[in-house]
Structure formats: structure tokens, C-alpha cells
Amino acid sequence: MSDLEDRLAEVVGEQHVLTDPDLKAPYETDWTRRFSGVARCVVRPADTGQVAAVVAACAEAGVPITVQGGNTGLVGAGVPAGGEVLLSLGRLTSLEPVDTLEAQVTAGAGVTLERLQQHARPHGQDVGVDLAARSAATIGGLVATNAGGIRVVRYGSMREQLTGIEAVLADGTVVSRLVGLAKDNTGYDLTQLLAGSEGTLAVITKVRLRLVPLLPARAVALVAVGGVAEALDLLAAARAGLPSLAAAELFLAEGLDLVRGHGRLAAPFAEPYPAYVVVECAARTDPTDELLEVLGECEAVLDATVASDVTGVAKLWAYRETHTEAISAAGVPVKLDVSVPLRELAGLVAELPAAVAAVAPSARPIIFGHLGEGNLHVNVLDAQDRAEEVTDAVLRLVAGKRGSISSEHGVGRAKAHWLGLSRSPSEIAAMRRIKAALDPAGLLSPGVLLD
Ligand code: 2HG
Ligand code: ZN
């Protein structure tokens, strides 16, 4: 081992500095298998003090660091470009008692979302963010990427849940604001600056989150509609008529065929439809009547199936939540996560297939996503050798509709080259000045966000 590895082993213990290629391998490739890079070593610190010492040692040696949480990210931000120390935060699993008076909790960066949900729920509280990767995605990673998921329509993204943060800066300094004051106007908000910074400004070690009341009664409808425009009519009706609205998700006929084949799921309706919306209501008492009333009055509804028991709800959600794994089982997709103003959504979905076919004629686009935010997950199968062209075509189409090239997954390595489609030159210049101020040597997650 070299001097740096020896030093890191002194900090975290030899068994937590991985240099063996077989042991490093699971950390070096992302979930999609699209991004991989060789790490110089993988370091697994156990607490904030160890993270600070690891970062300080790397800074002194001038060696760059890639920060990784649950490795469920989809834009390559958590895997090395090559030669970095891979700092894995999975052992930062401290969890403080739920503060039921403040309705907040403090969790280590490596706590999974599912673990945090299990921690909060017995106290009648819940985490405002939820997503399909809950069993592996970690709180630190969710904050670093400002993750969204299926509850944004009700509670907002990860940054809206944040009341405080503890982080290690690029020189090893620890900054900590974990009191979680509901009001605190004392200058620059470092907590919010780090949300969505994708490991480029600091290493998040702990977060303090606002919790929401646990709503145990759920009603879910899978609704068949004639297309995206009709799905939006249903969204408008749900927003106006359902104070209990907790999720509004979209998928299309092609996606349903794929998930049904993959999971051997029964057809939800006697005949196929162009598009489907999952509408979930959550409340203290059964919201089924409220949901049925809105569905009954909405002309866009062609057919619907409703469940309020745990098994029935899970069955309906499976049509939407298994999209990612069904797509992954069919191949390595070009994964694009975009959003547009809701009035542009139907046009975008209509124009996407032709835009993709123009650069990759045999590609298969699968489109699904979070209807409430106009957030589409455009997964393009059979286009691996045309990834650049497909990415360029889709992101330009989105930018032309005043959309965002990354709605909730972040920019990572995957889209750094296209940041200029969503951010102006002066904004990017300001971001670069912030990066230079906090990480002058460019050691934290090089190549991520700003290429
Ligand atoms: C989801 O909404 C995730 O299920 C993953 O953001 C999206 O696989 C994807 O493209
Ligand atoms: Zn999503």
C-alpha cells in the first residue's frame, strides 16, 4: 500500500480500505451498468470524525474523491471517473430519536430511506419523500441529489424536507447546523446550498429532516386515459377535488407491456389504453369515497380500478414502480430524466419518438414519470451505441420547451456536457465561482455537474 492508503487505514481500520479489485468492483459500477470507473481504493469511514480525517488526508495528498451513498443514483455521480478515492458513506448509520415536538429527526448520511421510514412511523410521523429505491438509497445521497420521487406533488423534493446539515468541506473542516430551527435568518444558507450539489461542494455526513404526519389510510386508483392531455385533465381534477392527493404518476401502453412481461402481472383492464395514471390519496380516515367521487365526475377517465387494502394498493403500484427494473432487465437504457411546464407535456410525449428515431432508428423509448411535476423518465432501450446522439436530441427537445434537462436525478457525469441547455452562462459562471471557493483544488467529485 502507498502512504495515502496507509494513512487511510490508520483512520478507518485496514478492513475498511478496499484495494482488491474484486472487493472494489461493486462500488465501481452504477445500478444501470452504464457508468463505471476504477477507484484507487474504496474507503468506508464509520463517523464524521473519520470522514473529516479521510478528506484531510486526501487533500494533503492532492488525491480526488468520489462520494458515494447507496449507489442508486442514475447519472453516474457516485462512480469514479478513474483514480479517485471512493468515499463510501454506507457506515454512517447513526439515527437519533424522533423529536415529536419539533417533528424532526437527525440521521447519518448512510441511513437508508426505508430505515428512516421505519424509525419515524411508530411515532405517528413519516418522511415526506418516498421513492422506489427506498431500501438502498441513503439519506445523504437523497439530499446530495435533491431527490424527488412519488410524494413531491404533496410535500416537495428533498430540499423542502431539510432543516439542517452537517458536512465535511474539501479541506477536512466540519460544518454543522443540526439544531433545525424553524426560523433562522443568519446569512448564507449552506444547508440549501449543499442540497443538490451532488458531492461537488462538501461531503454530507448528517442531515436533520422535517417529518410529516403519518397518514395510514390510503386509496389508490389505476386510471386508464386516452393520452397525456387526458392524464393532465385528470391531474387538474385531482388537484382541485382531492385535499388528500398524495401521488399522481404516469405511464404509457409500452411501459405496461414491458412490466407485465417482466413481472408476469395480470392485465389491469379488459382492453389496453394509450396511457395510465396512478392516483393515490392518503389521509387519517379512508379517502376512498373522495377519490371515487372525483373519478366519477372526470370525463377523462375511461376505466379505473381502485384499492385501499395493503395488498391491493401494492398490486396497483407495482405497474408503475417496477418500470425501472423491467427496463433494466430488457437492456442497458439511455436514461433521461426531464421536466417541462405541464402545458408542454403532451407535445413533448408526442414529439419524443420521432426525435429519438431520427438519431437511433431501432431504439425503443419507454416513457413514464411523475405527472404532477411534468417530470418524465425517458428510458431509451436498444440505443447504447447512440447514447450521445439520443441524449442530445431529447435534451434539446426539452430545452426548446423551456424544460429542465434533469428534473430529479441530478446532472452527474451523464449530463454535465448539456448543463448549458438548462442554465445560462452567467449562472454557470456563478456556480463555478462557488465551486472554486469551497473546493479550490477541485478534489471533490471531479467531472460531476461542472465538466
Ligand atoms: C422512478 O421514478 C425513478 O421510478 C427511476 O426516478 C426512474 O428508472 C428511471 O428512469
Ligand atoms: Zn422518478
Side-chain angles (χ1 to χ4, degrees), residues 148-162:
I150 58 179
R151 302 264 172 262
V152 177
V153 73
R154 181 149 186 168
Y155 299 117
S157 294
M158 203 64 198
R159 69 163 75 252
E160 275 88 40
Q161 323 306 318
L162 261 186

Side-chain angles (χ1 to χ4, degrees), residues 365-390:
I366 307 288
I367 298 167
F368 63 101
H370 311 285
L371 185 63
E373 298 81 56
N375 176 186
L376 295 182
H377 296 311
V378 182
N379 279 251
V380 187
L381 282 163
D382 304 329
Q384 258 239 302
D385 54 341
R386 309 283 293 161
E388 288 278 314
E389 293 84 347
V390 167

Side-chain angles (χ1 to χ4, degrees), residues 1-64:
M1 284 210 211
S2 77
D3 286 355
L4 177 60
E5 274 76 10
D6 285 343
R7 200 145 163 222
L8 297 177
E10 272 165 33
V11 174
V12 301
E14 216 167 295
Q15 72 274 34
H16 294 299
V17 180
L18 315 179
T19 51
D20 182 286
D22 287 344
L23 296 178
K24 285 191 299 163
Y27 299 86
E28 292 175 326
T29 298
D30 81 326
W31 192 91
T32 64
R33 310 184 297 281
R34 226 189 116 193
F35 300 97
S36 57
V38 177
R40 170 179 171 143
C41 63
V42 174
V43 187
R44 306 177 351 114
D47 57 32
T48 305
Q50 290 189 3
V51 174
V54 166
V55 173
C58 291
E60 205 170 289
V63 173

Side-chain angles (χ1 to χ4, degrees), residues 228-441:
V228 176
E230 290 77 8
L232 290 167
D233 290 343
L234 173 60
L235 174 70
R239 276 192 165 145
L242 295 174
S244 60
L245 183 67
E249 299 280 312
L250 174 78
F251 56 90
L252 306 181
E254 297 82 6
L256 178 64
D257 288 347
L258 199 71
V259 297
R260 281 194 53 211
H262 173 69
R264 302 218 182 96
L265 305 178
F269 301 108
E271 54 179 298
Y273 294 94
Y276 303 88
V277 182
V278 176
V279 180
E280 179 168 280
C281 293
R284 297 202 73 86
T285 55
D286 189 359
T288 305
D289 288 348
E290 176 176 305
L291 176 58
L292 289 175
E293 198 180 318
V294 165
L295 296 179
E297 285 169 5
C298 178
E299 284 177 13
V301 177
L302 299 179
D303 203 346
T305 167
V306 178
S308 56
D309 60 301
V310 175
T311 318
V313 161
K315 259 191 188 164
L316 294 184
W317 265 111
Y319 292 111
R320 160 61 180 88
E321 285 208 315
T322 55
H323 266 69
T324 298
E325 65 182 64
I327 288 165
S328 189
V332 177
V334 177
K335 234 176 220 305
L336 300 165
D337 157 52
V338 299
S339 60
V340 290
L342 290 174
R343 283 189 178 73
E344 304 280 1
L345 196 67
L348 176 62
V349 174
E351 291 166 41
L352 263 168
V356 170
V359 292
S362 52
R364 267 193 302 156
I366 307 288
I367 298 167
F368 63 101
H370 311 285
L371 185 63
E373 298 81 56
N375 176 186
L376 295 182
H377 296 311
V378 182
N379 279 251
V380 187
L381 282 163
D382 304 329
Q384 258 239 302
D385 54 341
R386 309 283 293 161
E388 288 278 314
E389 293 84 347
V390 167
T391 303
D392 196 67
V394 173
L395 298 187
R396 281 183 196 284
L397 182 63
V398 167
K401 297 186 183 302
R402 298 171 297 135
S404 167
I405 63 153
S406 177
S407 183
E408 60 167 8
H409 294 167
V411 174
R413 294 185 196 290
K415 295 184 193 160
H417 175 66
W418 287 275
L419 188 60
L421 289 176
S422 275
R423 292 302 194 100
S424 67
S426 45
E427 279 181 304
I428 293 174
M431 285 196 217
R432 286 193 190 281
R433 289 203 292 272
I434 293 170
K435 168 74 175 168
L438 287 181
D439 180 18

